[in-house]
Amino acid sequence: MAWWNRAKEPSESTSVDPNLPLIRLEGVTKRFAGDADDTETFALNDVTVDIDRGEYISVSGPSGCGKSTFLSILALLDAPSAGRYYFNGRRMDQLSPAEKARIRNVDVGLIFQSFNLIGDMTVYENVEYPLTLRGVSATARKSRVDAALDRVGLTARARQRPGSLSGGHQQLVAIARALAGRPPIVLADEPTGNLDSKSGEAVMQMLEELHADGATICLATHDPRHIARTNRRIYLFDGRIVSSPVA
């Protein structure tokens, strides 16, 4: 698959025990203080789960069940209040902020509902920027960015700024940015939520292509059609993993 073609780079090499799961959560809890001093809200409550390399997983449940918090913790954008998170066999609470940032930049592709695009940069520059931080060569950056923008149908908008784009097109820019990094794991939070049906189907096909090429996909979604395309389903209800969906 030419647009993906994830080749190992010297800077990406790490010592990983292949016998360990890619991700392990042990008793992970995330709580927030309530309005009163003695009340707390649990976004996640004692979640224990393993995610192996190469899995295609959906995370679903009713609104407020903890899906977005679950992905934010996996993405190292948030930290558990209790419990342990292991990524590639390493405890994440023992890493420095710089080490966590490097994992996000090198190992994780993020497709979240907040696009987090840089308004002063063009579409092309937004997709290229993470590669620049990684030290990818100019030639390789151009090849990757061109391929990613072509794959999401935004080549003609490469020189526009995000503010001139619709919400759907901004979502596609965020998807192109994640794909250009060729990460071993993609975390996607409702990636088709701002897209029309045709663009949404194209995004789901891209995720399936990434999975077929060896990437681990973790998809948070309400859509039963998207859930049906995954190989494993995780259901959340009131911050806990449950055995079957709860309406």
Side-chain angles (χ1 to χ4, degrees):
M1 182 175 11
W3 70 275
W4 172 240
N5 192 24
R6 184 177 191 273
K8 292 287 185 182
E9 300 174 4
S11 62
E12 294 181 80
S13 61
T14 55
S15 177
V16 176
D17 184 347
N19 296 315
L20 294 175
L22 176 64
I23 286 172
R24 171 167 289 172
L25 301 184
E26 292 183 349
V28 165
T29 293
K30 182 64 179 181
R31 54 181 175 265
F32 299 94
D35 294 333
D37 293 339
D38 59 346
T39 62
E40 291 182 322
T41 299
F42 287 82
L44 293 177
N45 195 345
D46 194 26
V47 170
T48 295
V49 68
D50 285 352
I51 298 175
D52 290 322
R53 294 169 183 84
E55 287 200 274
Y56 189 179
I57 293 176
S58 61
V59 182
S60 61
S63 295
C65 69
K67 297 189 298 296
S68 294
T69 301
F70 181 84
L71 287 192
S72 291
I73 287 175
L74 295 189
L76 298 172
L77 297 172
D78 205 349
S81 305
R84 291 181 177 177
Y85 172 22
Y86 296 85
F87 184 88
N88 265 341
R90 304 173 69 191
R91 274 182 58 179
M92 294 295 96
D93 61 303
Q94 296 179 338
L95 301 186
S96 67
E99 289 174 309
K100 292 179 181 180
R102 184 185 182 281
I103 290 174
R104 280 196 303 270
N105 190 36
V106 174
D107 293 322
V108 182
L110 304 178
I111 307 173
F112 277 19
Q113 294 180 53
S114 54
F115 311 128
N116 295 321
L117 301 177
I118 301 173
D120 292 336
M121 290 185 175
T122 65
V123 166
Y124 186 98
E125 290 165 344
N126 267 278
V127 177
E128 181 187 38
Y129 184 58
L131 304 179
T132 304
L133 296 178
R134 287 177 54 176
V136 177
S137 70
T139 300
R141 290 200 309 269
K142 185 177 187 309
S143 175
R144 290 194 192 188
V145 175
D146 287 346
L149 289 177
D150 179 67
R151 188 64 182 84
V152 299
L154 289 181
T155 299
R157 300 181 183 272
R159 300 304 170 189
Q160 292 182 234
R161 298 191 186 278
S164 68
L165 303 178
S166 67
H169 282 142
Q170 290 185 50
Q171 178 76 303
L172 291 174
V173 176
I175 291 168
R177 180 181 56 193
L179 300 182
R182 301 174 184 171
I185 180 169
V186 175
L187 305 176
D189 189 2
E190 300 284 0
T192 65
N194 294 290
L195 304 177
D196 59 44
S197 59
K198 182 179 178 180
S199 297
E201 174 60 24
V203 168
M204 294 305 299
Q205 288 180 6
M206 279 186 263
L207 293 179
E208 289 178 346
E209 290 171 11
L210 295 178
H211 176 246
D213 204 52
T216 303
I217 311 294
C218 190
L219 168 71
T221 181
H222 287 93
D223 194 323
R225 297 169 301 171
H226 299 342
I227 295 170
R229 297 168 84 148
T230 62
N231 302 130
R232 177 182 166 202
R233 291 96 193 236
I234 294 174
Y235 301 108
L236 288 173
F237 183 71
D238 286 348
R240 293 181 180 272
I241 293 179
V242 294
S243 59
S244 59
V246 178

